[in-house]
Amino acid sequence: MRDPKFVLAPMDGMTRASFRLICFQYGADGATTEMIQSLALGRAKRRLSDTFRETMVRLPGEGDLAAQLIGSVPAMMGESARRLTAMNRFDAIDINMGCPARKVVGSGNGSALLKDPDRAVAVMRAVREATDLPVRLKLRLGWDGEHITAPALVAEAGRLGFDSVTLHGRTRMQMYKGAVDVDAMRAICTASAIPVYANGGVTEAADALTFLEATGAAGVSIGRAALKRPWIFDDIRRLRAGQPLYERDASERVAVLERLATLACGLRPEIVAICEMRKFSSWLLPGLTGAGEVLRSLNAVTTLNGYRAALDRFLDGLARSHDTDYHPELAGTVGLDTV
Ligand SMILES: Cc1cc2nc3c(=O)[nH]c(=O)nc-3n(C[C@H](O)[C@H](O)[C@H](O)COP(=O)(O)O)c2cc1C
């Protein structure tokens, strides 16, 4: 049996090159871009929009990377797969059959394909025939409890020579809530001729290992937990090696934010990148002493220098308070006990 892999799940607006690189540096075995609209990509004649270019950058240091396509017109999906292949920068093409958003399914895309298996297979075939890169599929169990189509689609992916499948163990109607159906996932993983990655609901490293065991999957795909703890991949490696986990301290969290901000500013306009950093700041800093104050400062800055300066002030403040903590014997002699 191959070594299990632990990969970063695709997330719209999140799994751009800068964040993916951070996850790779923490040991992720693979990543997928956010979804790329095949209609826009297939029709783009002259130049791609800035968003597309940012999404499709690949930074040095990124590991196995799939570009994810979303769409339901087989010819357009095939044309987009050809374009992505010609860019010569991706290791695989992934097809999105999981997105549950109303706007997306309303136009027949994403998880809407789960209730139209003929079209789903036509899309899979078109992409498979358009590229010699490995092709992957990301899907949910089905549209709802009465329409569980994943077993047939995963089997078809195997027949078409797909590289692997990522299975989110919920239906479209469950959106992102409720328990994943581990038994249904296990049945699909066991029957599949190609590797299946289990996805959905991992919140910490130990969950990933339990999930792997319970589903019999070839690996685990982790989404939201990595946004708050990109070091989850390192935690998983530690657990598997029998090493202790440790709480990531302020300096490590700040270092991640600084690296992310610097990378993001290299890929898009500074003001946009720094404003987008607010969500990552609000995910990585809470729980630390002084987090509320530094978050207020970080939310007010619009430049990389301002962002870095606010983080530096935060660390300096912590170091000063630790200095006090580390020298309790001074208390009293210099009046600190009364502060
Ligand atoms: C903000 C956000 C954006 C997402 N965007 C995509 C996407 O572009 N393509 C995709 O296949 N899944 C997308 N997903 C679904 C995730 O890949 C994953 O299947 C889901 O979050 C469940 O895994 P988790 O519990 O580990 O987060 C998105 C999820 C979130 C929360």
Side-chain angles (χ1 to χ4, degrees):
M1 173 140 163
R2 292 194 315 181
D3 237 14
K5 293 198 187 313
F6 298 89
V7 301
L8 176 65
M11 283 175 287
D12 196 25
M14 313 288 167
T15 51
R16 299 192 179 134
S18 45
F19 181 67
R20 296 192 310 251
L21 182 59
I22 300 284
C23 292
F24 278 122
Q25 289 171 339
Y26 271 120
D29 292 312
T32 305
T33 67
E34 58 188 337
M35 56 187 169
I36 300 163
Q37 305 286 344
S38 73
L39 275 183
L41 182 63
R43 280 192 187 132
K45 285 279 183 286
R46 262 175 259 129
R47 83 185 257 287
L48 296 169
S49 73
D50 287 349
T51 318
F52 272 148
R53 279 188 287 119
E54 287 162 18
T55 302
M56 294 189 283
V57 164
R58 179 178 194 156
L59 289 170
E62 284 199 72
D64 182 273
L65 179 63
Q68 188 184 68
L69 279 174
I70 184 160
S72 52
V73 180
M76 202 60 84
M77 288 290 276
E79 177 54 26
S80 299
R82 263 187 291 280
R83 276 183 157 238
L84 289 172
T85 308
M87 288 176 182
N88 237 342
R89 83 178 64 143
F90 299 110
D91 299 303
I93 310 279
D94 190 81
I95 304 174
N96 181 323
M97 289 193 198
C99 183
R102 203 180 290 274
K103 208 170 68 183
V104 168
V105 297
S107 42
N109 299 326
S111 57
L113 285 169
L114 299 175
K115 53 177 180 175
D116 188 354
D118 290 345
R119 183 173 281 272
V121 172
V123 163
M124 289 159 70
R125 192 169 287 128
V127 173
R128 177 60 292 170
E129 286 169 1
T131 179
D132 39 24
L133 287 176
V135 180
R136 301 173 184 164
L137 174 66
K138 180 160 181 288
L139 79 175
R140 289 175 177 249
L141 287 174
W143 178 259
D144 58 22
E146 272 69 61
H147 301 91
I148 300 294
T149 41
L153 290 172
V154 172
E156 187 60 28
R159 281 191 288 276
L160 288 172
F162 275 37
D163 174 65
S164 60
V165 166
T166 300
L167 178 63
H168 181 175
R170 296 189 175 95
T171 63
R172 186 273 169 183
M173 294 312 281
Q174 284 179 285
M175 305 295 280
Y176 293 100
K177 298 222 177 79
V180 294
D181 187 340
V182 172
D183 293 338
M185 294 179 84
R186 187 172 186 85
I188 293 172
C189 291
T190 313
S192 176
I194 55 175
V196 179
Y197 291 79
N199 171 250
V202 167
T203 58
E204 52 188 76
D207 295 344
L209 299 187
T210 317
F211 200 26
L212 182 77
E213 178 81 22
T215 55
V220 176
S221 156
I222 300 167
R224 289 162 293 177
L227 297 174
K228 295 185 176 175
R229 296 183 223 184
W231 46 84
I232 191 169
F233 299 102
D234 183 53
D235 282 353
I236 291 170
R237 184 195 58 74
R238 286 176 165 274
L239 277 185
R240 297 186 68 224
Q243 293 168 353
L245 302 189
Y246 62 94
E247 189 55 31
R248 309 291 163 150
D249 64 9
S251 58
E252 182 165 348
R253 289 164 190 253
V254 163
V256 168
L257 288 173
E258 280 210 53
R259 248 186 305 147
L260 192 55
T262 307
L263 288 165
C265 285
L267 295 173
R268 75 192 75 145
E270 186 174 355
I271 188 167
V272 177
I274 293 301
C275 289
E276 285 194 7
M277 283 304 298
R278 290 175 188 170
K279 57 193 175 205
F280 284 102
S281 321
S282 74
W283 287 328
L284 265 65
L285 297 177
L288 299 172
T289 313
E293 195 181 327
V294 69
L295 283 174
R296 276 190 293 281
S297 309
L298 293 172
N299 287 348
V301 298
T302 52
T303 63
L304 182 56
N305 281 343
Y307 192 82
R308 285 185 177 140
L311 287 175
D312 286 349
R313 276 197 305 278
F314 170 57
L315 283 187
D316 284 351
L318 280 181
R320 274 199 303 279
S321 66
H322 280 159
D323 277 352
T324 336
D325 293 346
Y326 293 148
H327 304 289
E329 73 280 6
L330 293 179
T333 59
V334 290
L336 290 180
D337 55 344
T338 56
V339 176

